[in-house]
Amino acid sequence: MTKETAYAVEVDRLTKRYGDLPAVDDISFTVRKGEVFAFLGPNGAGKTTTVEIIETIRPPTSGKVNLLGMDVTKKKHDIVHRIGVLPQGFSSFDRITVRETLLYYARLFSVKTDIDGLIELVNLRDKTKEQYRNLSGGLKQRLGIAIALVNNPEVVFLDEPTTGLDPRARHEVWEVLLGLKKKGKTVFLTTHYMEEAELLADTVAIISKGKVIAMGTPGELIERNANYLSLTLKPIDEKVFEIVRKMGFGPVLDNHKNIKVRVEHTYDVQKILNAIKDAGALYLGLDVRKPNLEEVFLKLTGEALREDPDEMETE
Amino acid sequence: MNLRIINANLVVKLMGFYREKTTMFFTFAFPIILILVFGTIFMSQDSMEYRLCVQDLDQTNSSAQAVEILELNGKFKITRVDPAVNAAQYVRVNRVNLVLVIPKGYERSLIQRMMLNDQNASVTITYIYDPSSSSVITKMQILNSVLAVINQGMSGKPPFIRSVEESILTRKYRFIEFFVPGIIAMSVMTLSLFGTVDSDTELRQKGIIRKLSTTPITRTDWILSNILYHFILAVISTIAMLLVSYAVFDVSLHIDAWLLAFILLDVFAFVGTGMILTRFVKEAQSAAAAANAISFPMMFLSGSFFPIELMPGFLQKFARTLPLFYVNEGLRASMVFRDNMAALRSAAIIGVFAAVVFILGIVATKWEEGK
Ligand SMILES: Nc1ncnc2c1ncn2[C@@H]1O[C@H](COP(=O)(O)OP(=O)(O)OP(=O)(O)O)[C@@H](O)[C@H]1O
Ligand SMILES: [Mg+2]
């Protein structure tokens, strides 16, 4: 029977193969109740495959997956009542309105749902009579999130809820997700936007080529894998670069002729600035930054998380 | 099975259909247009055969009586032609294929024969006809036999050889009455087949099926609501077709529980076929093409539009392997010929087919996307 556990999700040595391809390769992790857990990884990493196995949509090749203490391969009928799912690339019936769609899903679960409350939560008050096909991408995703909540689930799965949205729409979805977080829902989120993971997640698992390569809070991950500071200098004198190089820090020049230096401590920053000052050289500006998950990912995989770093702004 | 879920699903499907006006228009209007077009074409042919133009040059009581006999014979609808006009001209101008001319002196000859027993007294009735008309020969043959009976009757002796007309059909039917059941069978097939293929591939491509598989709706609920949905559309469409047929063509069709039974079997058979198709043809476009490849030959070869007796022998044999043939046969057996046994035979055959296809369809329908 269902045993009570502190974990919403327990994945133990899960593998999923498609022919020769191990889409998910022997991964293990747990999701605590009440936390927002983010699966961060590039396209094709195995996020959807993993999530859909947990959601009982796909069968695993091997390994054990428990959801709220229930084996996902055996308890589908119990599980569906206790989870809410926003599939990747969610879509709904074209000519059915927002309110009708929510009513429909509520009926499927045979539950009384506070439809107005849900509409309020995802901020779709003005759109209740709008047919699905007339909603913009962001509104569609917010409706999808509301649908995932109709049965008041204990665990909510959101597979790339903001992919393909413009920055404003993305922020509006984040607002909704922050609201969920505040309510203490267990949320399993997949994304390839590190800002999203950093902003929302209590725990981030970085997944690449079917493997979880790092896991922890965003802070821990950065601490552990990118424990350095990035110093950027906008030099006036050419010799600044030479000065830093001679100190043994290995500076690089970027496209805008800025000098980028990676240092261990703030103490090193001080040292560099002093050396420049002592040499009588000048710089226009400087910036010291802690690395983010993007750099963690780069360090761990040697690949960029997104092929086009400007994607966030342009798409 | 959960009735509330089935109902919720049905409501969403019907609302979507109702709001998609073009689909709705074509689903309901197309078969009606077919009935109107073909019904009109064949209606004129049906009635041309029975219209008879008569020019009575005698204008006496006896000649009027003769015309009446022709009319009472039941095979002809008489149009009286003014004795003043030229009959040959009348044929040409009015595009009729035959005018029967009763000569002046008809009554006189008749009296001579009947009263004065003058065996030589006779009249000559002239057929003025257009030989290019294909049906005119038949018409003249019918006329000849009617005249023979009149002649025979006047001889006062009982005929030696009598004949009784006994059609293999228990009652006479018109083309339109043959046609309407065929169109019902065909349009229920197409709306079930294409409805299933279109909506299944669309929902699959949009990932709605995947979403639904994380809700309590089961495959059985889903399929049952699909059947119900198509059955409702099929019944509405059939009612519309029948209303038009009655109103415009004054058809005489028998409507009983068989009609509902055959609609239901038709729906089961072709929703099942659609489910099998979408299992094997994933792309929406190729699925629609496959549905076309199945339904198109079926329409023409299974006797929806014309009797298969008009086709060459091997095609007739082939027609008997098509499921739609048995829906056609069954519907005609019940609606036109009122032959319950024949209807039952067809129902049994299409029933077995529907059951097999439907079960295969259920097996083929993968709820879960993933492997
Ligand atoms: N049904 C399937 N059949 C064969 N291969 C599959 C199937 N589903 C996924 N894959 C493969 O498994 C790998 C992981 O895919 P998955 O969809 O889980 O990645 P993802 O992390 O969700 O990527 P994305 O960001 O593009 O959604 C990919 O290489 C994909 O091509
Ligand atoms: Mg994915």
Side-chain angles (χ1 to χ4, degrees):
Chain A
M1 280 318 298
T2 313
K3 56 181 192 297
E4 264 317 303
T5 71
Y7 296 114
V9 179
E10 297 157 278
V11 173
D12 186 29
R13 307 209 59 181
L14 172 66
T15 296
K16 174 74 178 180
R17 303 189 150 273
Y18 291 111
D20 281 341
L21 172 82
V24 175
D25 192 1
D26 193 18
I27 65 175
S28 303
F29 62 89
T30 53
V31 177
R32 274 177 291 112
K33 282 185 183 163
E35 76 170 330
V36 174
F37 182 93
F39 238 31
L40 178 66
N43 290 126
K47 304 184 294 293
T48 300
T49 305
T50 309
V51 166
E52 293 198 344
I53 289 170
I54 304 171
E55 291 163 354
T56 77
I57 300 180
R58 306 188 198 194
T61 307
S62 67
K64 202 162 168 48
V65 179
N66 278 357
L67 191 128
L68 298 166
M70 296 176 283
D71 186 333
V72 296
T73 59
K74 299 195 179 104
K75 295 275 184 179
K76 181 180 175 77
H77 293 287
D78 297 322
I79 287 175
V80 291
H81 286 279
R82 298 174 69 179
I83 61 172
V85 172
L86 172 73
Q88 180 167 7
F90 165 81
S91 169
S92 190
F93 306 99
D94 272 343
R95 285 165 206 269
I96 305 300
T97 68
V98 166
R99 175 180 291 278
E100 287 162 355
T101 304
L102 285 168
L103 270 172
Y104 168 70
Y105 280 98
R107 284 195 189 124
L108 293 190
F109 283 98
S110 308
V111 290
K112 274 252 170 290
T113 309
D114 176 13
I115 302 283
D116 291 307
L118 275 181
I119 288 171
E120 193 74 29
L121 181 74
V122 297
N123 216 343
L124 282 174
R125 270 174 316 270
D126 308 336
K127 302 285 179 182
T128 54
K129 291 206 175 79
E130 201 68 69
Q131 290 180 13
Y132 177 78
R133 65 194 168 120
N134 297 329
L135 299 176
S136 68
L139 300 188
K140 283 179 176 166
Q141 286 302 83
R142 272 146 58 188
L143 173 60
I145 293 169
I147 292 171
L149 297 171
V150 285
N151 56 330
N152 194 18
E154 289 157 68
V155 189
V156 186
F157 293 91
L158 307 170
D159 195 355
E160 302 202 12
T162 63
T163 299
L165 302 186
D166 65 43
R168 214 185 98 207
R170 174 172 297 124
H171 279 95
E172 283 164 1
V173 171
W174 286 348
E175 288 299 316
V176 172
L177 297 184
L178 284 169
L180 280 188
K181 190 180 162 89
K182 225 190 267 161
K183 288 180 148 196
K185 281 259 183 244
T186 310
V187 177
F188 193 130
L189 177 79
T190 80
T191 182
H192 57 245
Y193 298 123
M194 60 91 194
E195 298 96 312
E196 192 163 298
E198 242 170 39
L199 173 73
L200 298 167
D202 299 306
T203 306
V204 176
I206 296 183
I207 178 168
S208 169
K209 300 195 174 107
K211 289 209 176 274
V212 173
I213 52 177
M215 198 163 105
T217 66
E220 280 167 7
L221 284 173
I222 292 164
E223 190 84 11
R224 235 185 286 141
N225 298 291
N227 194 12
Y228 55 80
L229 296 171
S230 288
L231 169 64
T232 307
L233 288 167
K234 210 178 226 341
I236 291 175
D237 294 327
E238 299 269 326
K239 58 182 177 185
V240 172
F241 186 84
E242 267 308 298
I243 296 163
V244 181
R245 201 181 61 81
K246 281 198 180 122
M247 293 174 77
F249 282 110
V252 289
L253 277 179
D254 74 5
N255 301 344
H256 308 289
K257 295 243 154 90
N258 292 327
I259 302 171
K260 298 211 158 222
V261 198
R262 206 176 263 194
V263 298
E264 299 267 321
H265 298 289
T266 38
Y267 172 72
D268 293 326
V269 176
Q270 201 61 55
K271 240 170 56 182
I272 290 171
L273 296 184
N274 285 341
I276 294 171
K277 196 170 144 202
D278 292 347
L282 292 171
Y283 55 89
L284 262 180
L286 91 163
D287 168 58
V288 184
R289 204 167 52 82
K290 279 179 86 71
N292 57 27
L293 288 174
E294 188 88 54
E295 274 122 19
V296 172
F297 188 82
L298 196 68
K299 155 114 189 294
L300 288 170
T301 66
E303 297 170 40
L305 194 48
R306 284 177 276 120
E307 275 154 30
D308 171 16
D310 292 329
E311 187 186 9
M312 295 282 285
E313 280 66 48
T314 55
E315 75 183 15
Chain B
M1 196 174 85
N2 182 326
L3 287 181
R4 287 178 56 180
I5 290 179
I6 292 174
N7 186 50
N9 215 38
L10 185 61
V11 168
V12 158
K13 278 184 150 295
L14 287 172
M15 276 196 303
F17 177 77
Y18 179 71
R19 288 174 189 168
E20 194 141 3
K21 300 288 188 225
T22 40
T23 312
M24 186 161 79
F25 175 79
F26 280 110
T27 304
F28 292 145
F30 184 64
I32 290 177
I33 291 170
L34 272 183
I35 287 176
L36 288 175
V37 169
F38 281 84
T40 312
I41 292 173
F42 287 101
M43 178 172 64
S44 50
Q45 226 175 56
D46 268 350
S47 48
M48 195 147 50
E49 214 149 287
Y50 297 103
R51 188 190 304 150
L52 179 65
C53 299
V54 178
Q55 187 178 38
D56 179 6
L57 298 177
D58 200 39
Q59 294 291 326
T60 56
N61 277 338
S62 304
S63 64
Q65 220 167 4
V67 175
E68 218 159 282
I69 288 171
L70 284 172
E71 196 158 28
L72 288 176
N73 175 274
K75 288 206 162 65
F76 299 110
K77 205 167 178 181
I78 306 288
T79 308
R80 287 173 176 81
V81 178
D82 185 346
V85 307
N86 178 321
Q89 189 124 13
Y90 183 88
V91 167
R92 271 195 299 276
V93 172
N94 293 290
R95 294 174 170 274
V96 298
N97 54 13
L98 185 141
V99 175
L100 182 145
V101 185
I102 298 175
K104 212 167 170 55
Y106 174 87
E107 189 176 55
R108 193 160 36 84
S109 298
L110 186 71
I111 290 170
Q112 277 184 346
R113 171 61 89 79
M114 298 302 281
M115 304 283 173
L116 310 174
N117 215 0
D118 175 359
Q119 295 298 326
N120 291 325
S122 67
V123 289
T124 303
I125 284 181
T126 317
Y127 301 150
I128 294 178
Y129 73 102
D130 171 6
S132 66
S133 157
S134 56
S135 62
V136 75
I137 306 293
T138 325
K139 200 189 263 189
M140 289 197 297
Q141 279 167 352
I142 296 172
L143 270 176
N144 284 340
S145 61
V146 172
L147 297 179
V149 170
I150 296 175
N151 277 334
Q152 212 274 330
M154 286 173 72
S155 76
K157 297 197 180 90
F160 173 59
I161 297 179
R162 297 168 188 268
S163 68
V164 176
E165 281 182 27
E166 202 169 293
S167 165
I168 53 159
L169 311 175
T170 41
R171 54 179 287 274
K172 226 171 58 146
Y173 65 90
R174 287 152 55 203
F175 172 79
I176 185 75
E177 288 157 358
F178 169 90
F179 190 67
V180 170
I183 295 301
I184 292 176
M186 182 208 78
S187 57
V188 172
M189 168 186 80
T190 41
L191 81 82
S192 303
L193 183 63
F194 284 90
T196 305
V197 167
D198 288 350
S199 88
D200 276 15
T201 46
E202 189 192 346
L203 294 182
R204 195 171 296 280
Q205 280 185 342
K206 287 180 145 190
I208 294 179
I209 298 272
R210 205 149 32 104
K211 167 71 198 180
L212 289 178
S213 75
T214 64
T215 71
I217 187 172
T218 61
R219 215 169 49 166
T220 316
D221 297 335
W222 171 258
I223 291 169
L224 282 178
S225 64
N226 249 342
I227 290 282
L228 214 52
Y229 164 73
H230 286 111
F231 183 63
I232 290 173
L233 295 194
V235 168
I236 295 173
S237 176
T238 302
I239 290 174
M241 282 184 259
L242 286 176
L243 285 179
V244 169
S245 306
Y246 277 104
V248 179
F249 300 110
D250 189 26
V251 292
S252 150
L253 290 168
H254 184 66
I255 290 167
D256 59 14
W258 277 122
L259 177 57
L260 276 186
F262 279 107
I263 292 176
L264 192 61
L265 290 171
D266 205 353
V267 168
F268 262 94
F270 290 102
V271 168
T273 308
M275 290 182 341
I276 295 174
L277 271 188
T278 35
R279 171 70 178 85
F280 294 108
V281 194
K282 291 275 191 294
E283 292 298 313
Q285 271 183 350
S286 26
N292 260 316
I294 287 181
S295 64
F296 216 65
M298 194 106 78
M299 272 181 221
F300 287 101
L301 296 181
S302 65
S304 294
F305 297 129
F306 47 80
I308 62 162
E309 285 74 23
L310 298 180
M311 305 193 301
F314 72 96
L315 275 183
Q316 290 190 32
K317 284 212 184 78
F318 179 67
R320 285 172 195 284
T321 66
L322 299 174
L324 189 62
F325 172 78
Y326 294 96
V327 185
N328 286 330
E329 288 285 288
L331 277 177
R332 284 176 188 137
S334 71
M335 297 177 81
V336 183
F337 310 131
R338 302 189 195 177
D339 181 344
N340 282 325
M341 279 319 291
L344 186 64
R345 269 197 305 277
S346 297
I349 294 172
I350 184 70
V352 169
F353 174 82
V356 169
V357 168
F358 190 67
I359 288 166
L360 285 179
I362 289 179
V363 174
T365 302
K366 267 250 166 94
W367 203 217
E368 289 85 17
E369 178 110 332
K371 291 139 276 174

